[in-house]
Amino acid sequence: MPTTTTDEGGVTGRVATALFIAWRNLTRERRRWLLSASALAVAAMIVLFLEGISRWLETSSTAYLDHTGAQLVVSEKGIEDLLFAQSAFPPRALDEVRTIPGVREANPVVAVNGIVGAGHTHLPVYLVGFQPGDGHGPWQLASGSAQPHGAEVVVDRGFASIANVRVGDSLSLFGHQLRVVGISTGTNAAGDFFLFAPLDFAQRVAGTQTISYGLVYLDPGASASDVTARVNAISGVQALSRATIAGNDAATITSSFGQPVEILVVVALVAGVLIAGIVLYTATVEHTRDYAVLKALGAGRVVLFGSALLQSLVLSVCGVLLGWALAAAVAGALDAWYPVIESNLDIDLIAKLAGVIVAVNLLASLLPVRHVRRIDPQEVFKA
Amino acid sequence: MSVLEAHALTKTFGSGEASVTAVDGVSLSVAAGEILLLLGPSGSGKTTLVSMIGGLLTPTHGTVTIEGVGALYDRSDMAATRLRTIGFVFQTFNLLPALTAVENVALPLRLLGIGRRGAIERATVLLARLGLSHRGHAFPGTLSGGEKQRVSLARALIADPRIILADEPTASLDTHRGREAMELIRTSVHQGGQACVVVTHDTRLIDLADRVMRIEDGGIVDSPPTA
C-alpha cells in the first residue's frame, strides 16, 4: 500500500504526541483535573503522614542514646534496654568501670519511668537524672537552660504544651515541687516524654542511692570488646554497645506501636490504589470517544497507551506533590496543637514513598489502559 | 485503474441460528477522483460496509484492495495503513475537544511522527484553503457545525490519503450547510484525486456524486444513475 507521508519523528515524535494529548486532556478540564489530583493527594497524604509517624517512632526511641555518643552502656546484669526495664546498680560498680584501662569516662544516669498528671490528662514520662555538666541532659532546647540544678527540671516541649507550663513555672512531679528551667525539643520518645533533672533528685524519686546506667566513653584506640569483657566481670553489671541497647529499644517500640502503624500504612496504600484506580479509570473512560477517534485514525499503541499512561503519571506526580504538602501541613498542625505524636517527613522517606506511590498509581492505571485496548474504533460511527 | 476495490465483502455477526448477516457479498470499485455515493436507509449495512473498507472491522468473507494491494486486517498493520491511506469524515465530526481546530487537523501528521511545527504549518495552510484560517485556534466547542465539518474534512485530507471515507457527512448539518460540505468534499476529491466513498441516506446528495449504489438489507440492490 502507498505511503504518502514520511515518518520524520519516529517513536520520539509519537511519545511527544502522546504527552501532548495527555496534557491537553488534563488541562482542558481544570476543575476535574484538580479534583482528581486532590483525591490522589489525599491518598498520598495519608500514606506519607502515617509512614512519617512510623519513622518518628523508630528514630525518637533511640534519640537520647544516639545523642549521648557513648560507646558502651553499663546496666544491671540482664537488663538490655533503656526505655522499658528498670536497671539499678550501686555507684561503686561504676567506680570500678572507671579504673578499667581504655575507659576515658563513665557517667552515671538515673532513669525513672512513670505517669504524671499534666493538664487534664496523665502522660507517660521518662525522668533522666544526670550530673549537670557531663552532657547527658537535653541536646536541643526550645527555651530556657539545659542545666537544671537543685529542684529544677527541663521538660519536653510536648509535655510542657499539654501541662501548660513555661520556663519559670512550678510543677509537681512524683510528689516533689520543681521549677521548670528549660523546655527541650526532640525528647519525646515515641510518646514517652523525657524530663531532665539533677541526678540526686532522680535518686530521691527512685527512693534509692543506686544508679540506672553508666554511659562509657573509651580512649582512642581502646578495644570495646576488651572493656566489655572487663565490665562483665564486675559483679551485678554488664556492658552492651550503645547500638545494641538502642536497637532493643527500637525493636520494642516497632513491635508495640510501629507495626500497627505499618498495617495502617498498608491499608492506606491499598485504599490509595483503589482511589487512584477509580480516578484514573474515570479520567480515561470520559475520553473513550477520543480514544476511539485516535484508533480509527490509525494511532499506534505508543500514542494510545502512552497518552493514557502519561495522563496517569502526570496526575500521580501532581497527587504526590500535593499529598506531600498536605502531609507537611497536617504534621505542622499536629505539632502546633497536640505535640504528642510527630510525623518525620524526611526527604529520603518522601523520595522513597513518592516512588512507591507513583509506581502503585501506574499499576492502577493498567485498568484504564485495558479499557483503551478494548475500545472499539467503530464507536466513531455512533451519532 | 481503481484505487479502491472491494470484492464479495460479507460480514456476519454471531453464529448459528442467532447469526445476522449485515453485509452480504458486496463488491465495488472506486477510481481516483471519483465519488461513490452509497445510499441506503438506517440499518441497511452501509456503516458496516464502510467499517470493513476502512479497516475498522474484519470481514467474514471477501477482500479489500487499495491500489492493488490487499488490506491486512492484522491490528497494528491495518492501523498504520489507515493512517497513511485513508481519511475519515464522520457524521458527528469526532474532533478531539481538547485540541484546537488546527491541532485537530495536524493530528494525523503528528500520529505519523511528524514534528509539531511542521504538522501545524501544513494544517494551517490546509485550513486556509478551506476558508478557516481565522478559526485555527478555536476549540471545537466554539465552532459551528459547518466549521466543524470543514475541520473534519481538513483532518481527513492532511496526510494526502488515497481514499476518503465519509459516513453521513451531512447528517448533523442543515440543508444549506450539508450541501456546502458535500460540495467541498467533491471539490477536494476531484482536485486531490482521491477515491471517495460517501455513505448516506440523504437522496438530495445524489447529484453531487459521480456514481450511486443503493444498499438495502446488506446487499447492493441497484446502481441508479446520478442525477
Side-chain angles (χ1 to χ4, degrees), chain A residues 1-2, chain B residues 1-5 64-71:
Chain A
M1 291 206 183
Chain B
M1 180 187 165
S2 295
V3 174
L4 170 67
E5 283 192 36
V64 172
T65 57
I66 299 171
E67 295 194 320
V69 181

Side-chain angles (χ1 to χ4, degrees), chain A residues 224-262:
Chain A
S225 57
D226 288 350
V227 172
T228 299
R230 295 285 300 269
V231 172
N232 290 346
I234 300 170
S235 172
V237 296
Q238 67 184 18
L240 288 169
S241 70
R242 187 186 81 220
T244 302
I245 298 263
N248 290 340
D249 282 336
T252 307
I253 291 288
T254 301
S255 60
S256 305
F257 307 108
Q259 281 172 359
V261 173
E262 283 300 325

Side-chain angles (χ1 to χ4, degrees), chain A residues 52-366:
Chain A
I53 288 178
S54 183
R55 170 71 67 94
W56 168 73
L57 286 171
E58 197 176 331
T59 55
S60 69
S61 64
T62 63
Y64 177 72
L65 275 180
D66 292 342
H67 281 90
T68 64
Q71 283 103 328
L72 297 175
V73 178
V74 177
S75 64
E76 180 184 337
K77 208 168 273 292
I79 302 292
E80 296 186 345
D81 69 84
L82 184 84
L83 293 176
F84 303 97
Q86 199 70 53
S87 168
F89 59 87
R92 61 176 163 69
L94 205 56
D95 292 338
E96 284 185 56
V97 170
R98 290 190 186 100
T99 66
I100 296 171
V103 172
R104 178 166 53 88
E105 250 181 84
N107 300 320
V109 164
V110 172
V112 181
N113 263 315
I115 301 287
V116 300
H120 300 292
T121 185
H122 288 77
L123 295 174
V125 296
Y126 190 87
L127 177 69
V128 174
F130 71 106
Q131 291 175 321
D134 67 9
H136 298 137
W139 57 93
Q140 201 174 340
L141 280 179
S143 59
S145 164
Q147 303 295 333
H149 296 276
E152 293 176 343
V153 66
V154 176
V155 300
D156 174 77
R157 186 175 63 95
F159 179 90
S161 171
I162 294 164
N164 197 24
V165 293
R166 295 188 181 124
V167 171
D169 290 350
S170 280
L171 188 64
S172 178
L173 283 177
F174 304 111
H176 298 265
Q177 203 67 19
L178 290 169
R179 195 171 74 88
V180 177
V181 291
I183 292 172
S184 60
T185 60
T187 47
N188 174 357
D192 206 4
F193 297 103
F194 270 54
L195 310 179
F196 300 91
L199 189 79
D200 55 351
F201 172 78
Q203 284 176 322
R204 281 206 303 281
V205 170
T208 170
Q209 290 303 302
T210 58
I211 56 174
S212 306
Y213 298 95
L215 300 172
V216 177
Y217 299 83
L218 303 178
D219 287 324
S223 162
S225 57
D226 288 350
V227 172
T228 299
R230 295 285 300 269
V231 172
N232 290 346
I234 300 170
S235 172
V237 296
Q238 67 184 18
L240 288 169
S241 70
R242 187 186 81 220
T244 302
I245 298 263
N248 290 340
D249 282 336
T252 307
I253 291 288
T254 301
S255 60
S256 305
F257 307 108
Q259 281 172 359
V261 173
E262 283 300 325
I263 290 170
L264 291 177
V265 169
V266 172
V267 170
L269 208 54
V270 171
V273 174
L274 291 175
I275 291 171
I278 291 166
V279 166
L280 300 175
Y281 182 70
T282 308
T284 308
V285 166
E286 281 182 344
H287 294 284
T288 295
R289 182 91 178 186
D290 298 350
Y291 285 110
V293 172
L294 287 169
K295 272 191 170 183
L297 293 180
R301 289 176 188 178
V302 171
V303 171
L304 286 169
F305 301 147
S307 59
L309 277 171
L310 285 169
Q311 199 167 313
S312 301
L313 186 67
V314 171
L315 264 178
S316 298
V317 169
C318 291
V320 165
L321 292 175
L322 204 56
W324 180 11
L326 279 175
V330 170
L334 189 72
D335 188 55
W337 293 324
Y338 192 66
V340 176
I341 297 172
E342 293 176 26
S343 183
N344 279 8
L345 298 172
D346 302 327
I347 286 291
D348 66 315
L349 178 78
I350 297 292
K352 243 184 270 176
L353 280 178
V356 170
I357 292 168
V358 170
V360 158
N361 284 0
L362 285 178
L363 198 67
S365 70
L366 289 180

